[in-house]
Amino acid sequence: MGRERETQKPQQVSYTVEQMVAVNPYNPDILPELENYVNEQVSSQTYSLDANLCLLRHYQFEPERMSTQIVARILVKALMAMPAPDFSLCLFLIPERVQMEEQFKTLIVLSHYLETGRFRQFWDEAAKSRHIVEAVPGFEQAIQAYAVHVLSLSYQKVPRPVLAEAINIEGLSLDKFLEHHEANSGWILEKSHGRGQLIVMPSNEFNHPELKKNAADNIPLEHITRIFPILG
Amino acid sequence: MATGYDYDDAPAETSSQDAGYDPNFVPDSVKSFVVHLYRHIREKNVYEIHQMYETSFQSLSERLFKETPWPSVDAVSHYVDKDHVFCLLYREMWFRHLYARSSPTLKQRIDSWDNYCSLFQVVLHGVVNMQLPNQWLWDMVDEFVYQFQSFCQYRAKMKNKTAEEIALLGQSEQTWNVYGVLNFLQALVEKSMIIQILEQEKEGLEQFTATDGYDYNGGSNVLKVLGYFSMVGLLRVHCLLGDYHTGLKCLLPIDISQSGVYTSVIGSHITTIYHYGFANLMLRRYVDAIREFNKILLYIFKTKQYHQKSPQYEQILKKNEQMYALLAICLSLCPQVKLVEETVNTQLREKYGEKMIRMQRYDDEAFAIYDELFSYACPKFITPSAPSFEEPLVNYNQDAYRLQLKLFLYEVKQQQLLSGVRTFLKVYSTISLGKLASYMEVDEPTLRTILMTYKHKTHAVDSEGKISSNADLDFYINDDMIHVVDSKPVKRYGDYFLRQIMKFEGVINDMDRVKLVD
């Protein structure tokens, strides 16, 4: 037995955490690796929903092994993945009594503001809970990206103050932000009739619904290949 | 909390062993049953096996074992050469019959678990050389997951447990352990290579779906088909745990836009779509849920008469009703009525028409209806971890359900202002923010947040991060003017024609085969 284990070890090291999750998702022994991996995601600004759900699942199976600090990090990372529903996906797996803890209540409130487009309240609340969100690098940028996403679904042209409020940037920093997006994301700045700046968002099928029509009745090639034998 | 939610509330531990039950008494009809079943299995006569499994077993149960279990396996084993695998199969049916008719004791639950372990071990080690009907193989996976769920519910009711039961529970940590259950299902998927088989089938290198999973070259279908159904089993277990993302991921190898082996057994078809739809509902992918609910409800409507005599008939009807309730929820949150066929829509209006109107109001009464429908139609969520055996003993069998319900209602509340804004958008093609704000009696910044919520909630994100619109009614804002767009869902003619071409090809093939037999 002992020898077998020794020979297996070097092999296991060569697996990445992602691979372990894919190959052996129901193995309680990988819990420490998964926890380390959460910290690694925080420090390297990467993200793996599958690995994090896998860890929450292990906590659900063995509640006595749960680390609330790790759960909090997973939830912050999930907020940063908006508009994807990851935050809810995580909450579905976290027992209610844990969700009652103060830090989780705060995160749930933050999520609620983001889900309902209330960015002003969100930034105010986030400012009060710096200790939670500042522990995770890239948090602000990720939320700003989400805000820009929702704005670009909704607006063809968005007034500067509306944008400023949503991304919580003003004045000179905002000018820089806009400049950057003008150069890289195809934003156009426009003067509206005497009422300040308008930003023209790049067109997509959601803010220019007429762009959508052609894409609707596409049949994927792999479906067509199924009738090749019949046609031939 | 809704009251319609029943949690396996069978009277606890009423003795299933009636005084009159002698486990060693084997009536002649049972003797003949096992002898014939054993012979047909050895001869790989799937047709006869299926007949005996579906019809004879039911009618014997109905006639002789309405109140009592079947004879014990030891009493029948010498009629079947004490064949190890046959005895495992017999016991599997024995327990299934017991679970269906009475509430099993803890000892029986443990024995049934041990039997599944032995059975699956044999299958996984590839020594089974049988050809069993899909119906039977599906029932095994289905029952395995059901008994797991039932065990979790049973264990969570700690209050009424006797000291002996608690002691026995404490000793049997591995019994119906969630890791064990998931690992068995996962092992069946992997060992069967079913994912690779389905991949290869797409390239025409392998046949699986075309033969309904059966092997006509002398091999066995058992591992392959068990592996296939285990993917559905995994979807279900993950839904019971509230892990919808992972559940759907387990189902990915099965293309549910087409018929396949999962549609060859009505129970499997319904279980697959019910959980697929429910998971999508929780992920806010309402259109995906509506589409599949619509398809299967139409299918059940057209075919349910053929299942009237089936032992699954009641279950079919119950899931049918539950899926109408889920469809009512989906359509209330995402009014894509155009995706629903006329027949299904008529049924839906009959059952839930009045409730759906009230759900649009988003007042307390509306939330109560969301609560009621969800509670009636959701899976029986479980807490997978073992209880604390220390005093005081508490029941926690409703915890998992309460959490899912709470989070669902939270989502509904986040969407409560959307139906109001829809009503206005419906009647305008353009309207200024200021005007709409005053109609809705909110200030302009608030209106902007409502409109963004509308956009966010009506745009679903799939597992690859792709965004798609679920909105029947869409808009865009230009500075402070709202432009409304009525986006009509495009009918998928392409898919329809593809399916018809394949169907006709199948008919032609069938006719060719008939000719050959003559």
Side-chain angles (χ1 to χ4, degrees), chain B residues 343-357:
Chain B
T343 331
V344 176
N345 201 21
T346 314
Q347 295 280 310
L348 179 71
R349 299 293 145 186
E350 244 170 60
K351 294 174 201 290
Y352 292 112
E354 193 238 344
K355 281 189 174 157
M356 286 175 74
I357 293 169

Side-chain angles (χ1 to χ4, degrees), chain B residues 356-417:
Chain B
M356 286 175 74
I357 293 169
R358 284 192 281 155
M359 281 158 95
Q360 286 307 313
R361 288 196 213 128
Y362 287 91
D363 49 13
D364 284 346
E365 192 200 10
F367 290 123
I369 299 175
Y370 274 104
D371 180 327
E372 176 199 323
L373 294 192
F374 182 91
S375 302
Y376 165 68
C378 69
K380 289 192 170 170
F381 299 109
I382 50 174
T383 303
S385 55
S388 133
F389 293 107
E390 284 150 34
E391 304 281 340
L393 298 170
V394 287
N395 285 354
Y396 61 97
N397 58 313
Q398 298 256 353
D399 288 6
Y401 149 70
R402 280 204 202 99
L403 174 63
Q404 304 301 315
L405 173 66
K406 181 178 149 184
L407 292 171
F408 168 74
L409 289 178
Y410 201 58
E411 177 66 45
V412 173
K413 286 204 173 127
Q414 287 181 347
Q415 302 199 26
Q416 64 182 333
L417 297 172

Side-chain angles (χ1 to χ4, degrees), chain B residues 290-353:
Chain B
I290 293 170
R291 225 177 239 135
E292 292 306 322
F293 282 144
N294 169 58
K295 267 190 349 211
I296 192 145
L297 289 170
L298 189 64
Y299 177 81
I300 297 174
F301 183 81
K302 285 181 178 165
T303 59
K304 71 176 171 206
Q305 71 216 57
Y306 305 117
H307 297 284
Q308 265 169 19
K309 287 198 182 124
S310 147
Q312 289 91 26
Y313 190 59
E314 258 177 55
Q315 198 52 33
I316 294 173
L317 292 186
K318 172 147 193 223
K319 279 277 167 287
N320 186 59
E321 293 304 310
Q322 287 182 321
M323 287 192 286
Y324 272 109
L326 293 177
L327 184 61
I329 292 177
C330 288
L331 286 172
S332 300
L333 293 170
C334 170
Q336 286 275 24
V337 186
K338 289 168 195 153
L339 293 173
V340 180
E341 300 268 349
E342 206 34 58
T343 331
V344 176
N345 201 21
T346 314
Q347 295 280 310
L348 179 71
R349 299 293 145 186
E350 244 170 60
K351 294 174 201 290
Y352 292 112

Side-chain angles (χ1 to χ4, degrees), chain A residues 26 50 57-58 60 62 89 92 96 112 115-116 153-157 195 206 219 226 230, chain B residues 179 183 238 241 243 245 249 255 258 284 404 406 414 448 453 455-457 476-479:
Chain A
Y26 312 118
D50 284 328
R57 190 159 64 222
H58 289 304
Q60 189 190 24
E62 300 175 273
L89 288 177
F92 288 138
E96 205 174 351
H112 180 68
E115 286 286 338
T116 50
L153 291 185
S154 313
Y155 289 86
Q156 285 183 353
K157 296 179 185 176
R195 296 195 303 116
F206 309 112
I219 307 172
R226 282 198 206 118
I230 302 172
Chain B
Y179 284 117
N183 277 320
H238 283 298
L241 295 167
D243 192 349
H245 171 84
K249 214 172 150 192
D255 177 3
Q258 311 284 322
R284 251 172 27 221
Q404 304 301 315
K406 181 178 149 184
Q414 287 181 347
R448 286 187 197 269
T453 310
K455 278 286 187 175
H456 170 58
K457 295 292 190 189
Y476 58 86
I477 312 168
N478 198 338
D479 193 3

